[in-house]
Amino acid sequence: MLYDDRVNMLSAAPSRQSRRTAICEAALDLVAEGGNHALTHQAVDKRLGIAQGSTSYYFRSRHLLVMGAITHLATLTRSAFTASAGSAPADDTVEHTVEGVADVIAAQLDTLLGARRRDVLARYALLPEAGHDEELRVALAQSLFSPEVAGNLMASFGATDSRAAASDLLSLLEGLLFDRLYGTRAELAAGTPESIEDLRRPVACWLTALRST
């Protein structure tokens, strides 16, 4: 979401929810660009060009502001992943073969590395906030990958234990995401056929192994 869109959200649609959403978007922008210490109520007010104290009205403490941003991030993720993978085992939007599921997952990862890179950077920047806060840790852990949607996808795929398979899958995806951002394959640009194939290949290998067990 562009800066002008967030400002328009505040002025043209002055509902409490639209204002909270604009504030959460600005919060994610700030931490993605400047790290977790860049996120303050005053910085959000300045970012959006709104009266000082406006952010504090909606999020009284830093904890609530951080939690609001993480919750918003999880909402964005669930909408994006559900649209591609389907939200229930009976959904027919995914071809539940190794190649079909691997294609969907690779496309989602590539989106995180490209169009949603800001969200990924914000999540990593907020990790120190969760070090001693269990509530934030749990919310942050599920902010980019939904265990529920992954479980549904694994059930559709035919996994004997869909919950265990979903946990294993998410661990694999976390590693792939980190490697492509900061690891040995960070130089590979997102949004290319090479990028998607680079992500699809290890996912397909894992799915093949899962199906054989």
Side-chain angles (χ1 to χ4, degrees), residues 1 6 9-10 16-32 39-41 44-45 47-48 50 54-55 58-59 62-76 118-119 122-123 126:
M1 186 177 296
R6 287 190 281 277
M9 186 184 299
L10 287 172
R16 286 183 61 88
Q17 188 57 44
S18 66
R19 288 171 179 170
R20 291 174 67 91
T21 298
I23 288 169
C24 291
E25 279 284 316
L28 293 175
D29 285 344
L30 286 167
V31 294
L39 178 58
T40 65
H41 290 76
V44 174
D45 291 341
R47 179 90 178 192
L48 292 174
I50 55 181
S54 297
T55 299
Y58 290 96
F59 299 96
R62 178 181 172 79
H63 174 89
L64 291 175
L65 179 58
V66 171
M67 181 58 76
I70 294 173
T71 301
H72 177 61
L73 182 56
T75 299
L76 294 176
R118 185 240 16 205
D119 296 344
R123 187 211 195 197
L126 287 170

Side-chain angles (χ1 to χ4, degrees), residues 2-175:
L2 299 177
Y3 168 76
D4 289 343
D5 294 331
R6 287 190 281 277
V7 173
N8 290 336
M9 186 184 299
L10 287 172
S11 58
S15 69
R16 286 183 61 88
Q17 188 57 44
S18 66
R19 288 171 179 170
R20 291 174 67 91
T21 298
I23 288 169
C24 291
E25 279 284 316
L28 293 175
D29 285 344
L30 286 167
V31 294
E33 295 168 6
N36 67 317
H37 294 300
L39 178 58
T40 65
H41 290 76
Q42 185 176 3
V44 174
D45 291 341
K46 184 177 180 180
R47 179 90 178 192
L48 292 174
I50 55 181
Q52 186 173 344
S54 297
T55 299
S56 296
Y57 176 80
Y58 290 96
F59 299 96
R60 297 291 185 181
S61 66
R62 178 181 172 79
H63 174 89
L64 291 175
L65 179 58
V66 171
M67 181 58 76
I70 294 173
T71 301
H72 177 61
L73 182 56
T75 299
L76 294 176
T77 294
R78 183 173 181 82
S79 297
F81 194 75
T82 300
S84 294
S87 59
D91 195 278
D92 293 327
T93 60
V94 179
E95 181 185 356
H96 296 123
T97 62
V98 167
E99 295 304 319
V101 174
D103 287 346
V104 167
I105 293 174
Q108 285 296 313
L109 282 174
D110 190 69
T111 298
L112 287 172
L113 291 163
R116 295 192 60 204
R117 186 181 181 87
R118 185 240 16 205
D119 296 344
V120 180
L121 294 177
R123 187 211 195 197
Y124 282 128
L126 287 170
L127 285 175
E129 301 280 346
H132 303 287
D133 189 316
E134 183 65 10
E135 183 183 18
L136 288 180
R137 185 197 67 76
V138 172
L140 201 59
Q142 300 180 12
S143 61
L144 289 184
F145 301 109
S146 166
E148 180 185 356
V149 174
N152 289 337
L153 184 60
M154 289 296 92
S156 299
F157 184 66
T160 303
D161 187 340
S162 59
R163 289 185 61 184
S167 294
D168 292 343
L169 173 62
L170 296 185
S171 293
L172 171 63
L173 301 188
E174 292 279 10

Side-chain angles (χ1 to χ4, degrees), residues 165-201:
S167 294
D168 292 343
L169 173 62
L170 296 185
S171 293
L172 171 63
L173 301 188
E174 292 279 10
L176 289 172
L177 186 63
F178 185 88
D179 187 40
R180 284 290 303 274
L181 275 175
Y182 302 113
T184 58
R185 295 181 291 178
E187 74 284 351
L188 187 57
T192 64
E194 292 79 13
S195 173
I196 293 177
E197 175 59 23
D198 181 70
L199 297 163
R200 187 202 65 78
R201 187 175 57 254

